[in-house]
Amino acid sequence: TPWGTFISCEEIKPKEGKNNGGRCYEVHPEDKWPARATKIGGITGNKFESAAFDSRDMTKLKAFVTVDREGGPLYRFSPDPIVLREAMWSGDFSQVLHVDGFTEFLVLHEDSHTFEWSTDIALGEDSARKHFPNAEGIDVHNGVLYFVSKLNKELITLDLDYFTYTKSSTKGGVFDGQPDQIVRLLPSGSQKHSELNGDDLLYFLEEGGDGGAGVFAQDRTAGKFFSVVEGGDDKPKETTGLAFCDEGRRMMFAFQKTGEVYEVKREDNLPFFGGTVDVKYHEIKA
């Protein structure tokens, strides 16, 4: 969250007519309060996967969450404006995600490559089923929202200001599994237009595939994929928990089934958004 807590998503599909689906929990890294279910995703719950925030204007804060099922809509949650204003005044954001707000769902219009937010969950579910089944990783930066469709193996990029979107394939070479978590990595100070022009790196984690899972990236300028880390056949088929620190110089990730957590650094000590040397590119599969 913009105030330094974390959102942990439960993947539990609700049974029809019951409010027993997964919830999105807010977790404080220093245990200042117990983990609590937020209002993101409502009381029914869902098979939630990942969350991200658009905090460019805190008075118009938005939270987004993906759902990992074929008809799982992408949620947009707007906190109660009075609660949000009080939090900004006091500096205490502990209640912002725990009071009822306003929930909408993403609806894509394929003919015009535009989108809208609807209060009708049925429209959101239908759009997900048609255009982005099994949504997983999500990230937001400077008015651009990225998320992946695991089933379609596609990256969807939304311009949150102009309500337009693009799609691109994530299929390539060794990266033959399904895209899972994504993390956008930009040098500090990068502007929105540079992202829209593809001057950034998108890092992908992998679920499934023929070989061992790994960490992969797409150079959006060249449109090519390259391997960062490949686990090998003796490793589990899913990587998770991708994070960067030390201004992009240290990368952490885990193999989900075995619980092995790795920290990776470049030998030249450059950040992971720095220039690439001797990278292993992969051609896009047909």
Side-chain angles (χ1 to χ4, degrees):
T1 66
W3 47 92
T5 58
F6 292 85
I7 303 300
S8 180
C9 300
E10 288 184 323
E11 289 192 70
I12 305 171
K13 184 179 179 181
K15 294 181 180 179
E16 189 172 352
K18 296 186 178 181
N19 298 335
N20 60 354
R23 303 292 294 274
C24 298
Y25 285 80
E26 184 176 16
V27 181
H28 198 288
E30 298 174 351
D31 256 356
K32 289 187 176 179
W33 61 73
R36 296 180 295 160
T38 69
K39 297 294 184 178
I40 302 172
I43 62 172
T44 304
N46 219 318
K47 196 178 177 186
F48 293 119
E49 177 68 29
S50 299
F53 290 83
D54 181 6
S55 58
R56 291 173 294 163
D57 181 350
M58 283 295 292
T59 65
K60 299 177 181 178
L61 179 69
K62 298 289 187 291
F64 305 89
V65 64
T66 56
V67 176
D68 184 13
R69 59 185 181 87
E70 193 167 340
L74 192 151
Y75 288 66
R76 182 175 79 165
F77 176 78
S78 303
D80 180 280
I82 296 176
V83 175
L84 187 56
R85 280 200 301 270
E86 290 177 351
M88 294 175 64
W89 177 80
S90 67
D92 179 2
F93 289 85
S94 61
Q95 297 303 313
V96 169
L97 303 179
H98 301 278
V99 176
D100 288 333
F102 189 63
T103 300
E104 300 162 288
F105 307 93
L106 177 65
V107 178
L108 298 184
H109 301 295
E110 190 172 27
D111 292 343
S112 59
H113 283 273
T114 60
F115 66 90
E116 63 177 304
W117 299 101
S118 171
T119 57
D120 188 342
I121 190 172
L123 289 178
E125 290 174 334
D126 184 60
S127 187
R129 199 172 288 110
K130 290 178 179 176
H131 304 298
F132 51 92
N134 296 88
E136 292 236 356
I138 188 170
D139 199 4
V140 180
H141 188 74
N142 280 345
V144 182
L145 184 150
Y146 308 94
F147 71 101
V148 292
S149 167
K150 180 172 68 175
L151 193 62
N152 287 356
K153 297 186 178 182
E154 289 181 324
L155 169 71
I156 298 93
T157 304
L158 309 180
D159 186 319
L160 297 176
D161 294 331
Y162 292 95
F163 295 90
T164 59
Y165 76 92
T166 60
K167 284 185 177 183
S168 58
S169 173
T170 63
K171 293 183 287 188
V174 173
F175 184 44
D176 62 352
Q178 297 170 317
D180 198 326
Q181 187 183 353
I182 62 170
V183 173
R184 165 223 17 97
L185 193 62
L186 284 166
S188 58
S190 294
Q191 299 299 314
K192 173 180 174 180
H193 70 82
S194 67
E195 292 187 61
L196 292 172
N197 291 334
D199 298 335
D200 60 318
L201 295 176
L202 281 172
Y203 280 79
F204 295 80
L205 297 183
E206 187 176 23
E207 179 179 345
D210 295 330
V215 181
F216 305 88
Q218 184 190 32
D219 178 345
R220 299 183 68 225
T221 303
K224 294 181 177 181
F225 287 88
F226 59 91
S227 298
V228 181
V229 176
E230 296 175 22
D233 293 336
D234 61 328
K235 296 296 183 185
K237 302 295 185 183
E238 184 171 1
T239 43
T240 188
L242 182 64
F244 295 89
C245 66
D246 191 18
E247 298 183 342
R249 288 181 172 82
R250 295 161 62 197
M251 177 178 71
M252 282 70 67
F253 74 98
F255 288 102
Q256 183 157 304
K257 297 296 183 184
T258 59
E260 300 172 62
V261 181
Y262 289 84
E263 177 180 319
V264 183
K265 299 179 182 178
R266 288 175 53 147
E267 289 184 351
D268 56 15
N269 202 38
L270 288 174
F272 280 91
F273 54 73
T276 55
V277 180
D278 194 27
V279 297
K280 182 178 179 181
Y281 282 105
H282 305 296
E283 296 301 319
I284 298 296
K285 291 181 178 180

